[in-house]
Amino acid sequence: MINKVKGTYDILPEDSSKWQELEQVISNVSRIFNFKEIRTPIFEVSDLFHRGVGESTDIIKKETYDFKDRGGRLITLRPEGTASVVRSVIENKLYAQANQPLKLYYQGSMFRYERPQKGRYRQFRQFGAEALGSNSPLIDAEIINYASTILESLRIKDIIIKINSLGGSESKDIYKEKLVEYLKPNITGLCNDCQRRYEENPLRVLDCKIDRENPILVDAPKPLDYLNDEDRYHFDQVISALDAIQLKYVIDKNLVRGLDYYTNTVFEIDANVSTLGAQKTLVGGGRYNNLVKSLDGPETPAVGFAFGMERLLIAIEAVKQQTPKEFIHCYMIALGDNAQNEALKIVNELRHGGLICDYDFFNKNLKGKFKQSERLNPMFNLILGEDELAEQVINVKITKTGIQKRVPLNGLYQFLLNSIRNVSSDSCSGNCNSCDEC
Ligand code: HAM
């Protein structure tokens, strides 16, 4: 019997629907963020990854699947998607399109010769996104928001967004010098891997898992403290944009990432899900302002991320038990003949705004209406009577907490949008008295 190759797996029929569901969520959220799909080959000339990902990275040194094809060309199975997307953007001159920045996403198999374990494979799938053509810090925040919205849509809530900045070339060079100077007398106190990294790519020493608690590393200078004014401003703007969209994050001064192309913002999102074991990082990404140029394209700032899709599925499985039963956003209860048509009109408008709404079509008594509401499990009961209609307000009952609010009809949609966020997040139970609704 011939078995599958180590580090690969089959997707059997009973599992393929889970993949299809995940792919559906990815394409829905990508549509909302207006990213378009790009598909590139699974192999490329080796030089692309050597120059793109970086000679001194673990991926290129130890993990690529390289071979010579029958025409003698050096070929590599792609270990990641960014270099291929950049190659395609340059080759197809997408950078010259009128519609900028380019907002692209991709899904597909990647290949790395790593030590296989749960959540880590030799053939694995990534979903990634790249925004090319803008250096605006708002795109950095948009990219992080896009990744976090994917997780929110999959109900993976217990996450931690870690963010850092490495600075541009100038800041990085100054920092590297400081770090080498600091490590020189201390380097023998660190693990063998760190000693190798010190020679080849000193920044990666900060990322060491073995010496993480070692005082030599704890006290080492950090890139964030050596940013020039421009890079510092960029980082501060990213942070302020994240604050504006109320995304929670931690600044992790040791985060450097394992690929060489990063400049300025880098980030990762970890999920606190026990089934993931050691492979808690669902997504990694950052800005790479020099990569397009270094692959012979025009100067083009860019930022992106990639998810490990197997890890997403493992995380989804773990949260599935906690997933609430099916729900709708709003259940409308109209009281009195005059309110009926107006209620129907409101429901219609909310549906056009994307909210899942239902209505009592049997004109049951009040008890019957609430019974029906319980079956449909709405986030909000909307109650419109004649008095409310006269005052152009509506009663909104947040079913999770039982709290009821009187909301002006012309502000209802916005109120519901804000509330959905707070009610779905665990941070507000509906009576914190500090969020918009309480
Ligand atoms: P990366 O951190 O090498 O970044 O990989 C991104 C994600 O792919 C990881 O966080 C992890 O979830 C998943 N992953 C990596 N290796 C494996 C593996 N052997 N088995 C299963 N999952 C894995 C990149 O690849 C960059 N291209 C991300 C990026 C896009 N940066 C900017 N744009």
Side-chain angles (χ1 to χ4, degrees):
M1 185 178 73
I2 299 173
N3 291 323
K4 62 184 182 301
V5 174
K6 190 174 172 190
T8 67
Y9 59 89
D10 300 310
I11 301 174
L12 299 175
E14 70 248 35
D15 288 330
S16 51
S17 62
K18 292 180 195 156
W19 281 90
Q20 286 158 2
E21 279 166 30
L22 175 59
E23 286 157 9
Q24 192 60 51
V25 169
I26 285 169
S27 74
N28 289 349
V29 176
S30 301
R31 179 81 195 95
I32 292 170
F33 278 79
N34 197 26
F35 277 65
K36 304 266 169 23
E37 191 180 11
I38 183 165
R39 300 185 188 196
T40 60
I42 63 161
F43 56 80
E44 302 269 0
V45 294
S46 301
D47 199 34
L48 174 67
F49 300 114
H50 284 256
R51 280 168 59 192
V53 175
E55 295 285 3
S56 66
T57 58
D58 285 352
I59 296 178
I60 295 304
K61 280 189 94 67
K62 303 194 271 195
E63 296 169 5
T64 49
Y65 282 86
D66 303 310
F67 60 96
K68 249 188 200 159
D69 72 7
R70 288 170 195 269
R73 299 169 197 89
L74 274 176
I75 302 291
T76 297
L77 297 186
R78 62 181 179 192
E80 59 108 50
T82 310
S84 298
V85 169
V86 168
R87 196 259 319 131
S88 177
V89 165
I90 298 170
E91 193 167 348
N92 296 294
K93 297 199 172 48
L94 299 187
Y95 54 79
Q97 280 184 357
N99 200 359
Q100 300 286 331
L102 286 169
K103 293 165 77 181
L104 307 169
Y105 80 93
Y106 51 90
Q107 298 181 46
S109 290
M110 309 290 157
F111 305 85
R112 296 185 192 176
Y113 192 79
E114 289 197 79
R115 201 163 41 78
Q117 62 184 92
K118 189 166 188 189
R120 196 207 276 154
Y121 310 92
R122 290 184 174 170
Q123 176 177 347
F124 60 100
R125 287 178 68 84
Q126 275 188 347
F127 149 57
E130 315 292 347
L132 298 104
S134 168
N135 194 32
S136 165
L138 294 183
I139 307 259
D140 303 38
E142 167 104 327
I143 276 284
I144 297 171
N145 190 21
Y146 179 8
S148 138
T149 304
I150 294 278
L151 295 173
E152 199 177 320
S153 307
L154 296 169
R155 297 177 183 280
I156 302 170
K157 289 181 185 166
D158 197 358
I159 58 166
I160 169 160
I161 302 175
K162 299 181 296 183
I163 184 166
N164 192 19
S165 174
L166 305 177
S169 307
E170 185 188 282
S171 305
K172 258 169 112 173
D173 286 348
I174 292 171
Y175 168 69
K176 227 183 257 178
E177 232 172 77
K178 281 276 165 225
L179 182 67
V180 169
E181 202 177 288
Y182 167 84
L183 287 176
K184 203 172 182 183
N186 297 312
I187 193 64
T188 47
L190 296 177
C191 73
N192 288 344
D193 248 2
C194 282
Q195 297 188 25
R196 180 178 57 79
R197 285 171 173 163
Y198 170 76
E199 295 296 336
E200 292 167 354
N201 188 356
L203 226 73
R204 296 274 292 126
V205 171
L206 288 191
D207 215 13
C208 179
K209 304 282 177 286
I210 302 168
D211 277 323
R212 197 201 312 251
E213 312 283 328
N214 187 323
I216 300 174
L217 278 198
V218 175
D219 297 337
K222 304 291 186 292
L224 204 55
D225 301 322
Y226 289 87
L227 298 183
N228 65 19
D229 288 349
E230 192 187 339
D231 295 335
R232 181 78 230 180
Y233 181 74
H234 186 96
F235 185 67
D236 290 345
Q237 292 297 104
V238 176
I239 292 298
S240 119
L242 292 178
D243 288 340
I245 53 177
Q246 294 175 0
L247 267 192
K248 295 201 181 83
Y249 55 84
V250 294
I251 295 174
D252 179 349
K253 288 186 167 191
N254 282 328
L255 184 70
V256 290
R257 309 261 309 121
L259 301 97
D260 271 359
Y261 47 61
Y262 291 111
T263 54
N264 298 91
T265 314
V266 284
F267 74 97
E268 285 181 354
I269 307 182
D270 290 357
N272 203 0
V273 176
S274 58
T275 45
L276 277 168
Q279 309 305 318
K280 293 202 179 310
T281 306
L282 297 179
V283 53
R287 195 162 259 294
Y288 50 95
N289 285 349
N290 302 329
L291 183 60
V292 183
K293 184 108 197 282
S294 76
L295 292 173
D296 308 322
E299 194 130 343
T300 308
V303 58
F305 66 70
F307 275 95
M309 292 174 73
E310 291 80 4
R311 293 185 195 181
L312 277 178
L313 282 180
I314 297 170
I316 292 168
E317 279 306 310
V319 297
K320 237 185 189 146
Q321 290 88 8
Q322 306 150 21
T323 304
K325 61 177 183 170
E326 207 169 306
F327 72 98
I328 62 172
H329 291 119
C330 305
Y331 182 67
M332 174 64 87
I333 296 175
L335 304 171
D337 289 344
N338 289 338
Q340 297 285 348
N341 278 350
E342 186 63 23
L344 208 53
K345 192 174 128 209
I346 295 167
V347 163
N348 208 30
E349 281 166 4
L350 296 178
R351 284 178 180 149
H352 278 88
L355 300 187
I356 309 164
C357 303
D358 215 334
Y359 189 83
D360 164 34
F361 294 104
F362 290 112
N363 206 5
K364 293 182 177 139
N365 61 22
L366 199 56
K367 200 169 156 205
K369 287 178 199 290
F370 277 106
K371 208 77 240 120
Q372 174 67 356
S373 163
E374 270 171 38
R375 283 187 212 109
L376 291 169
N377 189 27
M379 280 179 156
F380 310 100
N381 278 322
L382 308 181
I383 305 149
L384 188 73
E386 312 263 316
D387 290 351
E388 285 81 17
L389 190 57
E391 288 176 46
Q392 287 293 292
V393 294
I394 188 162
N395 286 315
V396 179
K397 185 165 186 179
I398 303 167
T399 54
K400 183 173 170 185
T401 59
I403 290 173
Q404 191 159 310
K405 302 262 171 179
R406 249 168 121 75
V407 178
L409 278 179
N410 60 10
L412 176 64
Y413 182 62
Q414 194 54 49
F415 174 87
L416 293 172
L417 289 190
N418 293 346
S419 306
I420 285 169
R421 253 230 148 128
N422 288 329
V423 171
S424 343
S425 91
D426 290 330
S427 56
C428 174
S429 58
N431 55 6
C432 69
N433 283 327
S434 58
C435 74
D436 290 348
E437 284 66 51
C438 293

